C-alpha cells in the first residue's frame, strides 16, 4: 500500500493512501486491519462521523465489531457549526458510555470538521486517547488530518480552542473523492494550490499544466496530488511540530484573512477552502503592496485558483473594521500587531511582522 | 528565595516557596516581578481566582497592571462544581475579550480547582498559553500545582477531561496557609501523608514525630513539609512526565477509591483530601487482603491520618456496586479491569493489575 511516514520520534505515524482501483483494493487489507495493526493494545473504539459520512462510519464500526472490538458510534450534524463545546460534550458522553480507558481509540471518519472535533475530544479525554484519522474530503486528506492540530471554534474565533495531538495513523481512501460534492472537492484544491505557492514551484507548475485533469478528479493525477501535499506538509510538521520556530506558520498562508471571512460570514457559509482561496489572493496583493512580489505572481496565482473554479474575492460585502478586529485576535498575531505569511516568489514565503494596518485596509477594500 | 527546579528539558520551571516571615518578604521581590522575570515576552495576563481568593487575585492583577501589563480577571464560584465546561467557556470568553495571543499568560490564583480549570483553559486556548500557578491551599501547594496535570470534571467522572500542560512557574506563598479554613488545611495533609507512604519512609516518620506541629501549621515545620512534598513530586514527574512508564501512576495512591467517593457523593461534598484519606485506607486494607502489607502498616497509616483529624472511612453509605462502576471507568483502569497502586512497605508502592472485584467489594463493605 502506498505509505508515507511522518517522523516525529515517539509520535511517528503512517499515512496510507488507498487507490481507487477495485482490483488493487480487493488484494489489500482494509481499514479495520490497519487500525488493529496500528493500535495492537486497543480493543475498543468510538467511531465519529457526521450526517454525511454516517454510512461509511457505520461500515468502519461494523468491521471493527466483527473483529471483536467493543465499539460505539457518534454522529454529529455536518457543517462547521458542529465544532463547538456542545458537540464536544456529546463525544465526551459517548466515551464515558463506552467506558473508555486510555487505550480506547477515537476514529474520525469525515472531513476537516470531524477530524478537528473528534481529534480534540481524543486529545483531552483521559488526557489523551489514540486517534486514527480517516479523512473523506480532499481538504482533510491533504491538510487537516496530518500534523496533529485539533480544535473547536470559539463563537468569535475559528480554531481558538484546541490542542496538538498527533494521530496514530491516517487512512486516506481516494474512493471518497469520487462521491464528494463538487463544491467540497474544489474547496480542497485551494489548500493544494497553497502548497505549490509556499513550498514547491515545480508542483505549482504541474498543477497549472494538469489543471483540467486535477479539477476533474482524474485517477492519472489525483494520487500524485494527494501524496505530494501530504509529503510537503509532513516535512514542515517534522521540523516544527508545535509551531514554535515559525516554520510551521507558513502553512497558514492566506489563513489570517480566511479565518476572518469565515468568522464574520458565519461558520459554514463559506467553505474553508473558498475562504483560503480569497485569503491567498489578499495575501498576494498585500505582498505586492510591500514590493515582495510583482503583478505577474499575483495574476498567476489567480489564474490557477480560477482554473479550479475557486472564488478570488469575497462574494459579499464584509466590513473592513470588523475583519481587522477579528484578524488582530488571530493566533498568529502578537501583541495586537498583524502578522502575515507572504510570498516572496513562487515556492517561498516568509513571516512578515507588524504589517501597517493601512496597507491591509487597502487590500481589504480592493482600492 | 527558596527555589526548587523541576527539570523537564524545554519545559523546565521553578517552584518558589515564600516564607511567612514579614522581614524576609519585605526584602525580596514579589509575585508580579516573578511573573515578569519568568515570562519576559508577555505583556498581558488573565488572572483567574475564585470567590474565596478574589482579594488576592485582585492584588496580583493590580501589581501586574501597575507594571504596565494589560490584565483581566475572571472569578469562578468556589468549589469543585466549577471544574465544568460552563466555567471553562467563561474563561475562554475572558481570554477572547482580552484579545489573548500566544504570549498572554494565565495566572491561576487558588486551590486545586482553580489550578486545574485555569490550567486546562491555558492548555487549550490558542493551543497553549503560558501558565503561572499561584496555589493558595496546602493541597495545591504540595500536589496539584506541580506537574502539569490540568482537568475539568465530566458529570460522571472526576478529571476525565484534561491535558498535560506544564506551568512556566509556581509561586507558593506560605502566608496563605495562615488564613486557610481548618478543614481545607487538614484535607491537604492527606496528600502529604501520601508522599510519605509511597516514596519516603523517613518523611513519614518525621510527620509522625511532628504531627501536632504540622497539624497546627507551625513555621518550624511547614516550609520543610511543603518543600519535601514538591521535591518528591518533581522527582516523579521528571521521570515520567506523561504517565507512560507507570511510575507517575504511584502518585494516585488511594485516588481510584477517592475519585469514586467524590463522584458519587457529589463534587464538593467531600473535600479531595478527605476522599484521598479514606481511599488510602481502602488501598491499604486491599493490600493487606493481598498479603502485601501487614496489619501494623495499616494501623500506622490510620494513626497518622487520624492525628491530622482526617476521616478514615466514609462518613455516609455509598452503594458498593455504584462505586465499582465508577472505578471501572477510572483513567488508570485498563479494559474494564481494576488496577490499584498498593503499598508493599512504608515508602514503596506498586501497580497491581486485575485485582479481583470480590476483594475490592470486601474492602468497600468493610467486612
Amino acid at each position: 500500500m502506498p505509505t508515507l511516514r511522518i517522523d516525529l520520534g515517539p509520535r511517528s505515524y503512517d499515512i496510507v493512501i488507498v487507490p481507487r482501483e477495485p482490483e488493487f483494493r480487493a488484494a489489500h487489507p482494509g481499514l479495520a486491519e490497519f487500525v488493529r495493526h496500528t493500535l495492537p493494545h486497543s480493543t475498543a473504539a468510538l467511531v465519529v462521523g457526521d450526517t454525511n459520512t454516517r454510512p461509511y462510519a457505520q461500515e468502519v464500526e461494523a468491521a471493527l465489531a466483527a473483529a471483536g472490538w467493543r465499539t460505539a458510534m457518534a454522529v454529529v450534524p455536518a457543517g462547521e457549526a458542529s465544532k463547538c463545546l456542545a458537540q464536544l460534550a456529546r463525544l465526551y458522553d459517548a466515551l464515558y458510555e463506552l467506558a473508555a480507558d486510555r487505550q480506547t481509540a477515537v476514529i474520525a471518519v469525515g472531513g476537516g470538521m470531524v477530524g478537528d472535533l473528534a481529534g480534540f475530544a481524543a486529545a483531552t479525554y483521559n488526557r489523551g486517547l489514540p486517534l486514527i484519522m480517516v479523512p473523506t474530503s480532499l481538504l482533510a486528506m491533504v491538510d487537516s488530518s496530518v500534523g496533529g492540530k485539533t480544535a473547536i471554534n470559539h463563537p468569535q474565533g475559528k480554531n481558538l480552542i484546541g490542542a496538538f495531538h498527533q494521530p496514530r495513523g491516517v487512512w486516506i481512501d481516494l474512493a471518497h473523492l469520487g462521491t464528494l460534492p463538487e463544491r467540497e472537492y474544489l474547496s480542497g484544491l485551494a489548500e493544494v494550490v497553497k502548497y505549490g505557492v509556499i513550498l514547491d514551484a515545480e508542483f505549482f507548475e504541474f498543477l497549472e499544466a494538469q489543471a483540467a485533469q486535477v479539477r476533474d478528479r482524474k485517477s492519472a493525477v489525483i494520487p500524485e496530488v494527494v501524496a505530494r501535499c501530504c509529503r510537503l506538509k509532513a516535512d514542515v510538521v517534522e521540523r516544527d511540530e508545535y509551531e514554535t520556530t515559525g516554520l510551521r506558520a507558513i502553512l497558514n498562508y492566506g489563513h489570517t484573512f480566511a479565518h476572518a471571512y469565515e468568522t464574520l460570514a458565519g461558520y459554514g457559509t463559506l467553505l474553508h477552502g473558498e475562504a483560503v482561496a480569497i485569503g491567498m489572493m489578499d495575501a498576494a496583493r498585500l505582498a505586492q503592496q510591500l514590493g515582495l512580489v510583482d503583478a505577474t505572481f499575483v495574476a498567476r496565482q489567480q489564474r490557477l485558483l480560477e482554473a479550479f473554479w475557486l472564488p478570488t474575492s469575497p462574494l459579499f460585502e464584509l466590513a473592513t473594521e470588523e475583519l481587522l478586529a477579528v484578524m488582530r485576535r488571530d493566533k498568529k498575531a502578537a501583541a495586537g500587531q498583524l502578522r502575515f505569511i507572504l510570498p516572496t516568489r513562487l515556492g517561498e514565503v516568509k513571516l512578515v511582522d507588524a504589517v501597517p494596518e493601512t496597507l491591509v485596509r487597502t487590500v481589504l477594500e480592493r482600492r
Side-chain angles (χ1 to χ4, degrees), chain A:
Chain A
M1 206 77 97
T3 300
L4 299 169
R5 181 84 178 160
I6 172 160
D7 186 4
L8 295 165
R11 292 176 302 287
S12 299
Y13 53 96
D14 285 336
I15 304 165
V16 176
I17 300 176
V18 186
R20 269 182 268 189
E21 289 70 21
E23 59 277 21
F24 184 96
R25 304 167 70 85
H28 287 83
L31 171 56
E33 197 160 323
F34 173 70
V35 172
R36 291 167 58 201
H37 179 260
T38 304
L39 304 176
H41 302 298
S42 297
T43 55
L46 176 69
V47 181
V48 182
D50 67 18
T51 41
N52 291 332
T53 64
R54 185 203 301 261
Y56 183 50
Q58 279 168 334
E59 261 179 54
V60 174
E61 191 198 4
L64 285 169
W69 282 42
R70 276 192 315 117
T71 60
M73 199 167 80
V75 175
V76 301
E80 184 72 15
S82 285
K83 273 174 61 177
C84 63
L85 281 173
Q87 294 299 333
L88 179 68
R90 285 191 52 221
L91 300 193
Y92 290 147
D93 291 345
L95 286 164
Y96 181 80
E97 287 306 316
L98 184 61
D101 63 29
R102 281 195 175 154
Q103 300 298 337
T104 300
V106 172
I107 303 183
V109 180
M113 178 278 285
V114 171
D116 282 2
L117 172 69
F120 187 60
T124 51
Y125 194 88
N126 277 355
R127 295 199 187 89
L129 301 179
L131 170 68
I132 301 281
M133 288 291 203
V134 186
T136 59
S137 73
L138 177 61
L139 188 137
M141 291 177 187
V142 299
D143 189 24
S144 62
S145 71
V146 172
K149 281 197 180 180
T150 70
I152 60 171
N153 299 323
H154 184 272
Q156 267 131 348
K158 190 172 152 83
N159 293 343
L160 272 188
I161 298 157
F164 288 98
H165 186 63
Q166 296 295 339
R168 300 282 288 275
V170 181
W171 179 266
I172 299 177
D173 186 339
L174 296 177
H176 294 298
L177 294 184
T179 56
L180 209 59
E182 179 156 273
R183 194 177 157 203
E184 285 279 347
Y185 176 77
L186 297 174
S187 165
L189 289 178
E191 299 280 1
V192 172
V193 171
K194 180 192 77 176
Y195 287 111
V197 175
I198 66 173
L199 284 167
D200 192 338
E202 189 193 280
F203 181 52
F204 189 94
E205 284 156 14
F206 167 86
L207 294 171
E208 286 179 320
Q210 306 290 335
Q213 294 249 72
V214 171
R215 190 188 59 216
D216 297 341
R217 320 182 198 186
K218 297 293 188 200
S219 288
V221 293
I222 291 305
E224 164 64 14
V225 166
V226 171
R228 183 81 154 245
C229 292
C230 285
R231 187 67 261 161
L232 287 166
K233 176 144 189 186
D235 289 343
V236 170
V237 172
E238 284 172 354
R239 288 150 67 204
D240 184 19
E241 181 178 358
Y242 297 110
E243 207 163 80
T244 46
T245 71
L247 176 65
R248 185 167 179 161
I250 68 171
L251 297 171
N252 273 290
Y253 175 55
H255 281 60
T256 299
F257 290 104
H259 286 169
Y261 289 127
E262 287 180 89
T263 301
L264 287 187
Y267 295 132
T269 308
L270 271 175
L271 295 182
H272 178 62
E274 293 168 347
V276 168
I278 303 166
M280 286 196 291
M281 288 312 303
D282 291 339
R285 281 195 297 262
L286 184 56
Q288 190 187 351
Q289 295 271 352
L290 288 163
L292 297 171
V293 294
D294 59 17
T296 312
F297 172 93
V298 179
R300 200 170 162 190
Q301 178 183 283
Q302 180 160 355
R303 264 199 311 277
L304 185 55
L305 292 171
E306 286 173 352
F308 293 151
W309 300 341
L310 284 162
T312 53
S313 63
L315 311 171
F316 38 81
E317 284 288 314
L318 289 167
T320 303
E321 292 313 313
E322 288 181 40
L323 286 167
L324 281 168
V326 175
M327 288 160 67
R328 282 188 210 103
R329 279 172 165 78
D330 188 83
K331 288 192 291 299
K332 307 288 173 308
Q337 297 266 44
L338 296 173
R339 309 167 86 192
F340 293 93
I341 307 299
L342 297 181
T344 49
R345 61 185 168 93
L346 202 57
E348 200 178 274
V349 287
K350 67 172 185 179
L351 179 69
V352 181
D353 271 318
V355 175
E357 287 200 6
T358 48
L359 278 188
V360 181
R361 273 200 191 86
T362 305
V363 165
L364 288 174
E365 292 171 358
R366 287 166 178 76
R367 287 189 298 229

